[in-house]
């Protein structure tokens, strides 16, 4: 795994945005695996800016998102489809027909199978962007006794529900289930870039830094098995997990 420590999260995000642009310039119809949540928002703002400046052309790019809440319509302000439209797709010249976010209203098993089809159709993603949960989840592959290779329906853990309650009026409104890409889809991407910032992520990120151990209790540790995985954190988090800046 490749660690990059930046002075702040904005600079980590800048590096990711520039890497995405580089990939798209080299391969105009690249397939990008995308994430939602607070962490990547600055990446999307920067991509929108770069697109507006003409520095990158998304017109042939394809995207597939990691996950979607089960039970939320695409028009629901907390759905991940809505998030992607608001944070990125409405601000760049992408063809929305080429963007895939799982259908939160479909039969969940069918929605999961369709997500895997989207991940692998025409080849695995050229790039995967990830955030990380405080419990080490990537996408919604939650920490526990086992992980699923395939995309699947998942019952969110209480810690994830609590963490995401900030986007809703209260924790009771957070959907209990989600459709998520499985570990196989994530690890199939040609390169994986995980962004993390904030003390709440320290235990999960420490598991990436400490040793070579891979454990289902911290799903992000499976990225140690990937040949081209990049972990980008800021100095404050690096200090908390005992990693030197640079
Ligand atoms: C989002 C996703 C999640 C988030 C994680 C961190 O699509 O798959 O794994 O990346 O929950 O969320 P934030 O960035 O809000 O701390």
């Amino acid at each position: 795994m490749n660690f990059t420590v930046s002075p702040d999260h904005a600079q980590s995000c800048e590096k990711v945005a520039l890497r995405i642009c580089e990939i798209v310039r080299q391969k105009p119809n690249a397939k990008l695996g995308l994430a939602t949540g607070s962490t990547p928002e600055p990446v999307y703002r920067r991509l929108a800016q770069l697109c507006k400046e003409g520095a990158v052309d998304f017109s042939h790019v394809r995207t597939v998102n990691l996950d979607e809440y089960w039970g939320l319509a695409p028009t629901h302000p907390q759905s991940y489809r809505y998030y992607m439209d608001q944070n990125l797709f409405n601000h760049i010249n992408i063809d929305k027909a080429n963007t895939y976010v799982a259908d939160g209203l479909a039969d969940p098993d069918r929605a999961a199978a369709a997500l895997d089809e989207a991940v692998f159709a025409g080849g695995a993603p050229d790039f995967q962007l990830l955030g990380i949960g405080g419990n080490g989840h990537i996408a919604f592959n939650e920490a526990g006794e086992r992980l699923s290779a395939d995309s699947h329906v998942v019952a969110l853990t209480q810690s994830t529900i609590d963490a995401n309650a900030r986007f809703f009026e209260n924790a009771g409104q957070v959907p209990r289930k989600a459709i998520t890409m499985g570990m196989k889809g994530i690890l199939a991407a040609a390169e994986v870039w995980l962004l993390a910032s904030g003390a709440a992520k320290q235990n999960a990120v420490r598991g990436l830094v400490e040793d070579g151990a891979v454990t289902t209790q911290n799903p992000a540790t499976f990225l140690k098995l990937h040949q081209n995985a990049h972990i980008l954190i800021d100095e404050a988090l690096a200090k908390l997990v005992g990693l030197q800046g640079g």
Side-chain angles (χ1 to χ4, degrees), residues 35-40 66-67 80 131-133 137-139 166-167 201:
T36 58
S38 305
T39 306
L66 289 170
D67 37 26
Y80 287 165
I132 184 171
H137 72 217
I138 48 176
R166 70 190 194 279
F167 298 113
K201 307 294 171 71

Side-chain angles (χ1 to χ4, degrees), residues 28-190:
N29 68 342
K31 189 196 275 190
L32 307 175
L34 299 178
T36 58
S38 305
T39 306
E41 283 176 7
V43 175
Y44 297 146
R45 277 198 296 275
R46 185 71 175 120
L47 289 178
Q49 193 184 20
L50 287 163
C51 184
K52 205 169 159 195
E53 288 166 4
V56 58
D57 175 8
F58 288 97
S59 58
H60 298 290
V61 165
R62 300 160 295 154
T63 68
V64 55
N65 262 77
L66 289 170
D67 37 26
E68 177 60 290
Y69 286 122
W70 184 59
L72 295 194
T75 50
H76 189 290
Q78 296 309 332
S79 76
Y80 287 165
R81 159 55 71 183
Y82 189 88
Y83 169 107
M84 288 310 303
D85 286 348
Q86 295 296 315
N87 283 284
L88 184 65
F89 300 150
N90 289 349
H91 309 288
I92 60 175
N93 65 335
I94 200 162
D95 178 354
K96 280 197 195 168
N98 292 334
T99 68
Y100 192 89
V101 183
D103 183 352
L105 292 184
D107 168 81
D109 291 324
R110 278 201 199 146
L115 174 54
D116 262 346
E117 266 171 47
V119 173
F120 291 104
D126 298 287
F127 169 96
Q128 179 65 58
L129 177 57
L130 293 176
I132 184 171
N135 62 358
H137 72 217
I138 48 176
F140 280 134
N141 294 282
E142 296 281 31
E145 276 184 20
R146 61 195 292 279
L147 290 167
S148 296
D150 297 332
S151 293
H152 57 285
V153 185
V154 60
L156 299 176
T157 62
Q158 194 57 45
S159 71
T160 298
I161 291 167
D162 292 344
N164 288 1
R166 70 190 194 279
F167 298 113
F168 293 80
E169 273 175 31
N170 56 60
Q173 291 189 358
V174 182
R176 268 33 192 176
K177 288 186 180 177
I179 296 144
T180 182
M181 198 185 289
M183 298 301 287
K184 185 171 71 180
I186 294 172
L187 295 172

